[in-house]
Amino acid sequence: MAVWDDVVGQDRVTAQLAAAARDADALVTAEHAGERPRPGEQPEPQTSADRSGASQMTHAWLFTGPPGSGRSTAARAFAAALQCVSPDRALGGAPGCGFCDGCHTSLVGTHADVEIVRTDLLSIGVKETRDLVRRSSLSPAGGRWQVIVLEDADRLTEGAGNVLLKAVEEPAPRTVWLLCAPSVEDVLPTIRSRCRHLSLRTPPVAAVADVLVRRDGIEPEAAARAARATQGHIGRARRLATDERARARRAAVLKLPLRTDDIGGCLKAAQELIDAAGEDAKQVAEDVDTKETEELRAALGAAAGTGGRLPRGTAGAMKELQDKQKRRSTRTQRDSLDLALVDLTGFYRDVLALQMGASVPLANDEVRDSIHRIATSSTPERTLRRIEAVIACREALDRNVAPLLAVEAMAVALRAG
């Protein structure tokens, strides 16, 4: 199975990346053989340079696309292709076999020369970025490429972006930066102007269902239902198909439009959404925070047990960890809320489709009766205003408005229509 098989519905993007991987492999092969081509010139015969002779490979890439389009999956696949050591390459085979040690370790995240950076916090700061820049200046241990995959480039603070700029502008000879963000506007103009841009699209529902069946062994009917419900979002579709709690939470969200007949119902529904998001954050804390805390205490030499005294001078390290865990909890709550709001937007999209007589399949066919009830009791204008209210709530959360206030205001707006 080639590394590109999991990049769903992105044929144009995978073709460009495969061409770049071929040129990158030709460059490494030539240098290992003692041939050092001049800048802009590619060695023969193994190259996929365009008609002008320019290489398809470059040192910095920017992957953009809507959530669920597979930005990070494409970046990881490209990283694996750059590290491919399959012997078939010498016979004309394309890099990215998916089976060799270079491909396998890159995809699972254990390759010494592939650094995959993601954050469960609200932002990526200057300190973390400086560490990345230092890493990028090192020569690759395996002799091929030093690859930095930054999955959340949109979360770089302005200071962190300025630190990264110099490294992207003047990279080490064998360093490749792969940045992922929802859109080009989410990345500093000075950084994106130095990257080759690849735009991914939302994968077709059928393609997402197919990969769930093929790769995750999910029953075809359940895979199709999950892919349709998430409208092509690969990660959410997989979670919905495999996690009973996710299905139950989504079902509760889809009942909200029927609970806004009075102000009391609006406020109660809003509080339940907030409570559900808080429960998600609490679950993450139970799974991760306790383990992190115990590991740090052991590293600092604290006495066994949670009540053991910390050595003198180590309280600052523990406080830093607690602050990190608090920020992670905040992001988990926001992500959970945002997911609920996306499901709510999908509900009203289906309502609008019925009202306008559009010949499109409903994303939430399992609640068709509720959708029909709302559609017949309101107008398309009111439905559009309700969608705008949900979008306004998401924007308010991005601006750090208190979650409960933002969701209550949305629920009241849904009632007014």
Side-chain angles (χ1 to χ4, degrees):
M1 182 179 71
V3 296
W4 314 112
D5 289 354
D6 286 343
V7 185
V8 181
Q10 313 291 345
D11 294 343
R12 179 182 58 83
V13 169
T14 54
Q16 293 182 60
L17 293 176
R22 279 185 177 274
D23 285 354
D25 183 63
L27 178 61
V28 172
T29 301
E31 290 195 2
H32 284 178
E35 304 171 14
R36 294 187 177 273
R38 294 187 300 273
E41 180 183 41
Q42 284 299 303
E44 295 291 344
Q46 194 176 9
T47 180
S48 57
D50 60 23
R51 293 179 181 176
S52 67
S55 172
Q56 303 298 301
M57 182 58 186
T58 189
H59 67 280
W61 299 75
L62 175 60
F63 297 78
T64 66
S69 58
R71 300 183 302 260
S72 60
T73 301
R76 287 187 180 210
F78 186 38
L82 292 176
Q83 306 293 4
C84 182
V85 293
S86 169
D88 293 341
R89 295 174 299 114
L91 303 176
C97 65
F99 295 102
C100 70
D101 184 67
C103 288
H104 177 71
T105 54
S106 297
L107 291 174
V108 300
T110 59
H111 196 290
D113 295 325
V114 178
E115 180 77 5
I116 298 175
V117 183
R118 70 178 70 85
T119 182
D120 48 14
L121 305 179
L122 297 175
S123 63
I124 300 174
V126 171
K127 181 177 180 294
E128 300 96 316
T129 308
R130 283 179 177 154
D131 291 340
L132 277 183
V133 170
R134 279 193 290 270
R135 158 105 188 216
S136 73
S137 65
L138 301 175
S139 297
R144 296 190 66 79
W145 300 93
Q146 181 78 253
V147 185
I148 312 292
V149 182
L150 186 54
E151 293 188 357
D152 299 296
D154 55 308
R155 295 187 182 271
L156 289 166
T157 64
E158 184 175 355
N162 291 329
V163 170
L164 179 63
L165 174 61
K166 188 68 173 177
V168 172
E169 190 174 28
E170 299 177 3
R174 287 288 189 82
T175 295
V176 182
W177 288 90
L178 307 181
L179 312 181
C180 305
S183 70
V184 292
E185 287 77 17
D186 293 313
V187 181
L188 287 177
T190 48
I191 291 180
R192 67 185 187 232
S193 65
R194 290 162 174 80
C195 299
R196 183 168 297 171
H197 179 214
L198 293 177
S199 178
L200 285 72
R201 64 190 181 100
T202 300
V205 169
V208 174
D210 176 69
V211 79
L212 291 179
V213 172
R214 173 172 50 84
R215 186 175 60 186
D216 300 294
I218 297 169
E219 290 296 324
E221 184 178 347
R225 186 166 54 250
R228 184 177 62 250
T230 57
Q231 290 297 285
H233 191 301
I234 302 171
R236 287 180 54 211
R238 180 178 296 109
R239 183 182 179 191
L240 197 62
T242 58
D243 188 346
E244 179 61 36
R245 292 183 56 186
R247 292 193 290 272
R249 188 173 295 113
R250 181 174 179 275
V253 170
L254 296 181
K255 292 178 182 178
L256 188 146
L258 299 177
R259 302 174 57 196
T260 58
D261 293 336
D262 55 67
I263 294 296
C266 292
L267 299 182
K268 183 177 180 181
Q271 184 64 62
E272 289 178 1
L273 272 184
I274 297 297
D275 291 343
E279 190 63 30
D280 276 352
K282 181 180 178 182
Q283 182 183 9
V284 170
E286 291 175 349
D287 294 343
V288 179
D289 289 5
T290 302
K291 181 180 177 181
E292 282 184 345
T293 301
E294 286 304 308
E295 288 177 349
L296 179 59
R297 290 177 62 86
L300 294 175
T306 56
R309 183 183 296 276
L310 286 168
R312 187 184 301 273
T314 59
M318 186 61 68
K319 179 65 164 59
E320 183 179 351
L321 176 62
Q322 290 170 350
D323 290 342
K324 174 186 174 182
Q325 292 172 343
K326 184 177 180 180
R327 293 194 299 271
R328 179 169 59 209
S329 177
T330 300
R331 179 178 173 183
T332 301
Q333 184 181 35
R334 288 187 183 179
D335 286 350
S336 179
L337 268 179
D338 191 66
L339 182 59
L341 297 178
V342 169
D343 288 335
L344 201 54
T345 304
F347 179 93
Y348 285 114
R349 171 261 190 197
D350 286 346
V351 170
L352 188 62
L354 282 186
Q355 290 173 329
M356 302 301 293
S359 57
V360 296
L362 298 184
N364 304 285
D365 192 61
E366 69 273 21
V367 290
R368 177 180 287 270
D369 290 344
S370 299
I371 293 170
H372 187 268
R373 175 179 168 183
I374 298 294
T376 55
S377 63
S378 65
T379 63
E381 292 78 13
R382 293 184 68 188
T383 302
L384 285 172
R385 286 196 293 270
R386 285 166 171 158
I387 292 175
E388 289 170 353
V390 180
I391 294 173
C393 181
R394 296 182 70 188
E395 292 174 346
L397 292 172
D398 283 340
R399 296 193 303 269
N400 292 322
V401 174
L404 182 58
L405 291 179
V407 177
E408 285 179 345
M410 178 198 72
V412 173
L414 293 180
R415 176 177 180 270

